[in-house]
Amino acid sequence: MTLKTITMHWTGNSLILVDQRKLPHVVENVVCETYQQVAQAIKDMVVRGAPAIGAAAAFGYVLGAKQFSHLKGEDLLKAMQQVHDTIAQTRPTAVNLFWALRRMREKFLANHNGDFVNVLEQEALKIAQEDIETNRAIGRHGQALLKDGDTVLTHCNAGALATVDYGTALGVIRAAIENGKRLKVYVDETRPYLQGARLTAWELVQLGVETILICDNMAGWVMKQGKVNAVIVGADRIAANGDVANKIGTYTLAVLASKHGVPFYVAAPTSTIDLNVKDGSQIPIEERAHTEVTHVGNVRIAAEGVKVYNPAFDVTEHELVTAIITEKGVVRPPYDVNLRKIMGVEV
Ligand code: MRU
């Protein structure tokens, strides 16, 4: 079976990814025929966004299984551990990566004496298909929080490109529009990697949504002017207490939203909820290359010799989060109780 969306195309023998480093100027693909190539693509941000990373990891695991399908017993187990670890070591913050790999590994261990390649391919396709349905459900639940005529502010890219399709935060916006609501969207450019300017603005303009691009440092002033009715962002990992790790700058937005009485919503699948981490302080925060800060694109903007700090994510404490929109419904505080409930874990 195959699967084809704007973000990824599984051909049965390869994973073809739209190269998100080059959008929106160039629409070009990267073809991955090995698990190593998928791992590199995740690391290099060819594919990014928590749910998209999870699905790509699952297909990468399938490619690894195909590469090692001639092995048996201990040799096979060892090789597949290597596949798992290589993919797991790409990016540390988005828990969907580890969630998808866990699902794949469980299937492998239960089937390694049988037709495991086929079983794993079915599981990866299931993860990808489920993601699309999940995002549509997030959209259905979330759109009820928006009114006709509202203006939403979003950060980074939590759209179709960050998922297998449809998006989480952008899924909510899309669902509201599909329900006949007229919305305007402010998009933070999202320095340093510019996912907002390059990816979110591109997606929304293509969808025909009135889209206003702002630099990140304009968000406070825009809120102060009363121009924003809701902030909606995605998430890379949500701790058991409701603390949310998301793209750097999200925390600043949450503080600003609180100051200006604007509701701050997080839209994410339950696969982004990590009940194993008690609070946000336990979430590993990826630090990326200094050149992302010293350069814009390939152009150096900062003096040679300057020091740089480049955390790719931040943590917004749960007190600042108005609600978390999942495929199972809208979760409100107290998150330590209600996240467990929605995950079906005894409280
Ligand atoms: O570094 P990125 O581009 O992978 O970061 C993406 C984000 O922070 C998104 O907001 C998050 O993954 C949710 S995507 C539905």
Side-chain angles (χ1 to χ4, degrees):
M1 248 180 73
T2 61
L3 173 126
K4 192 170 183 183
T5 69
I6 181 179
T7 314
M8 58 185 74
H9 176 190
W10 172 251
T11 66
N13 292 309
S14 60
L15 181 67
I16 303 175
L17 298 163
V18 65
D19 191 343
Q20 300 197 29
R21 299 167 304 181
K22 298 197 173 152
L23 290 174
H25 316 292
V26 184
V27 184
E28 214 172 84
N29 291 326
V30 169
V31 180
C32 303
E33 289 172 333
T34 65
Y35 78 89
Q36 294 97 330
Q37 288 169 339
V38 173
Q40 201 59 47
I42 295 172
K43 215 181 172 86
D44 292 348
M45 311 266 282
V46 171
V47 61
R48 32 66 49 201
I53 291 172
F59 286 118
Y61 195 89
V62 179
L63 290 175
K66 282 180 189 274
Q67 286 165 256
F68 294 123
S69 61
H70 60 284
L71 299 179
K72 289 215 176 333
E74 269 307 304
D75 291 343
L76 176 62
L77 290 172
K78 249 199 190 149
M80 288 309 290
Q81 186 63 42
Q82 177 62 30
V83 171
H84 174 280
D85 295 350
T86 305
I87 301 173
Q89 280 154 18
T90 52
R91 298 194 70 191
T93 305
V95 76
N96 306 61
L97 172 71
F98 310 101
W99 168 88
L101 284 174
R102 193 176 330 113
R103 261 179 79 161
M104 296 302 287
R105 177 148 67 178
E106 276 167 16
K107 281 282 168 195
F108 169 68
L109 292 176
N111 293 280
H112 67 98
N113 288 321
D115 187 7
F116 63 89
V117 173
N118 188 36
V119 171
L120 290 174
E121 182 175 9
Q122 294 315 313
E123 187 66 8
L125 284 163
K126 200 163 160 222
I127 287 174
Q129 290 292 356
E130 278 174 16
D131 183 60
I132 302 173
E133 288 153 30
T134 292
N135 296 335
R136 289 196 173 270
I138 290 172
R140 278 197 300 279
H141 294 300
Q143 68 82 26
L145 301 167
L146 300 175
K147 296 185 308 298
D148 183 29
D150 271 356
T151 300
V152 174
L153 190 149
T154 191
H155 190 67
C156 192
N157 172 264
L161 289 165
T163 60
V164 179
D165 209 350
Y166 201 70
T168 56
L170 291 200
V172 172
I173 291 165
R174 289 173 77 160
I177 291 169
E178 284 160 22
N179 270 274
K181 295 174 190 172
R182 283 157 299 182
L183 300 183
K184 265 199 289 201
V185 183
Y186 278 98
V187 175
D188 272 0
E189 64 173 350
T190 319
R191 271 285 283 157
Y193 210 70
L194 299 172
Q195 290 93 330
R198 295 190 304 103
L199 308 175
T200 300
W202 186 66
E203 281 194 38
L204 288 173
V205 165
Q206 283 186 93
L207 290 168
V209 181
E210 186 176 344
T211 306
I212 306 139
L213 181 64
I214 54 172
C215 302
D216 301 329
N217 52 4
M218 298 171 186
W221 184 242
V222 172
M223 285 190 217
K224 191 176 171 71
Q225 290 176 305
K227 291 182 193 276
V228 179
N229 302 102
V231 175
I232 310 181
V233 296
D236 287 84
R237 197 185 296 224
I238 301 172
N241 72 341
D243 289 353
V244 174
N246 191 49
K247 180 53 53 195
I248 191 74
T250 301
Y251 168 61
T252 315
L253 272 187
V255 173
L256 288 169
S258 161
K259 157 93 182 161
H260 295 99
V262 175
F264 183 87
Y265 299 120
V266 174
T270 50
S271 53
T272 302
I273 299 168
D274 186 356
L275 295 180
N276 294 321
V277 303
K278 195 167 97 272
D279 59 44
S281 69
Q282 297 178 353
I283 299 176
I285 300 296
E286 177 184 11
E287 287 186 33
R288 293 190 60 86
H290 291 182
T291 48
E292 288 183 0
V293 178
T294 54
H295 290 62
V296 173
N298 293 324
V299 180
R300 186 170 185 110
I301 51 163
E304 295 282 354
V306 73
K307 286 186 181 164
V308 171
Y309 176 45
N310 184 19
F313 301 95
D314 58 28
V315 175
T316 298
E317 54 261 44
H318 59 96
E319 291 91 343
L320 296 172
V321 178
T322 309
I324 298 172
I325 308 160
T326 76
E327 75 277 17
K328 296 185 181 169
V330 176
V331 185
R332 292 192 183 263
Y335 294 115
D336 52 352
V337 175
N338 291 339
L339 285 176
R340 295 181 88 80
K341 272 195 193 154
I342 208 135
M343 298 295 278
V345 175
E346 248 176 66
V347 186

